[in-house]
Amino acid sequence: VVMILEKLCYIRETARDAILMIAKLSVAENEKWSNNATGQFGQLFHIFLPGTVLPLKERTEVLGELINFGDNYRDVVLTAINHSFTNNHFSRSGGPECFGSEKIIDYVPSDSAIYDYWSSVSSILINWCEEVPDVIEGASQIIQNHINSFIANGNIICVKTLIEKLIAIQNN
């Protein structure tokens, strides 16, 4: 099933729904292999080689939808947010992008689209932490995972804002 959904992520008209279905499979999953639904789901939120044609802005909207699905989706959404801030060592095996002799190219964002994406995902994370304080621990781990990348990319303002807002939420 995951392999079929991976293919659907390369068709503009079905990509969003395929991502939501992979998320549902991820919630039900009981394995930790990276080639399972959860591993594939996380990759779909990478800035490069995401395995989808869906633009970053629309993937951000999917995150908001998944948060509204409730607590069962917490780990899956945190996984997606963690992957959204990844900015190096991208790789994936080929296959789902091939349709006969046609090979679909993954979505490739501009630099400004990437910074807008990171800003939007940061806002989603902050708002989520305000609504569900239990998410703060996962959000803190994500910042720890990516702080060097934020700084190396000159995105200090984003990480500074994230840290300050999470501290304020935690202190309230």
Side-chain angles (χ1 to χ4, degrees), residues 22-139:
I22 292 171
K24 289 178 182 183
L25 289 173
S26 298
V27 169
E29 213 158 46
N30 58 9
E31 297 177 336
K32 298 295 180 196
W33 299 98
S34 64
N35 68 341
N36 61 9
T38 304
Q40 177 59 28
F41 178 74
Q43 177 185 307
L44 292 166
F45 291 86
H46 283 178
I47 54 175
F48 295 115
L49 295 178
T52 185
V53 295
L54 202 64
L56 296 174
K57 184 177 184 337
E58 292 180 48
R59 284 183 259 163
T60 305
E61 293 166 2
V62 169
L63 283 176
E65 269 185 76
L66 291 171
I67 287 171
N68 291 332
F69 285 174
D71 202 44
N72 287 343
Y73 284 79
R74 179 182 300 176
D75 290 342
V76 170
V77 175
L78 286 170
T79 294
I81 291 172
N82 188 51
H83 281 270
S84 73
F85 291 127
T86 299
N87 71 343
N88 54 21
H89 304 294
F90 297 103
S91 68
R92 68 174 172 72
S93 57
E97 73 281 3
C98 296
F99 291 81
S101 62
E102 183 182 2
K103 185 174 181 180
I104 309 294
I105 305 296
D106 290 63
Y107 175 79
V108 180
S110 65
D111 289 346
S112 64
I114 293 169
Y115 284 102
D116 289 347
Y117 180 57
W118 286 339
S119 177
S120 295
V121 172
S122 296
S123 294
I124 286 170
L125 186 57
I126 289 165
N127 292 336
W128 193 23
C129 287
E130 288 174 340
E131 293 172 20
V132 184
D134 291 345
V135 176
I136 291 174
E137 186 177 327

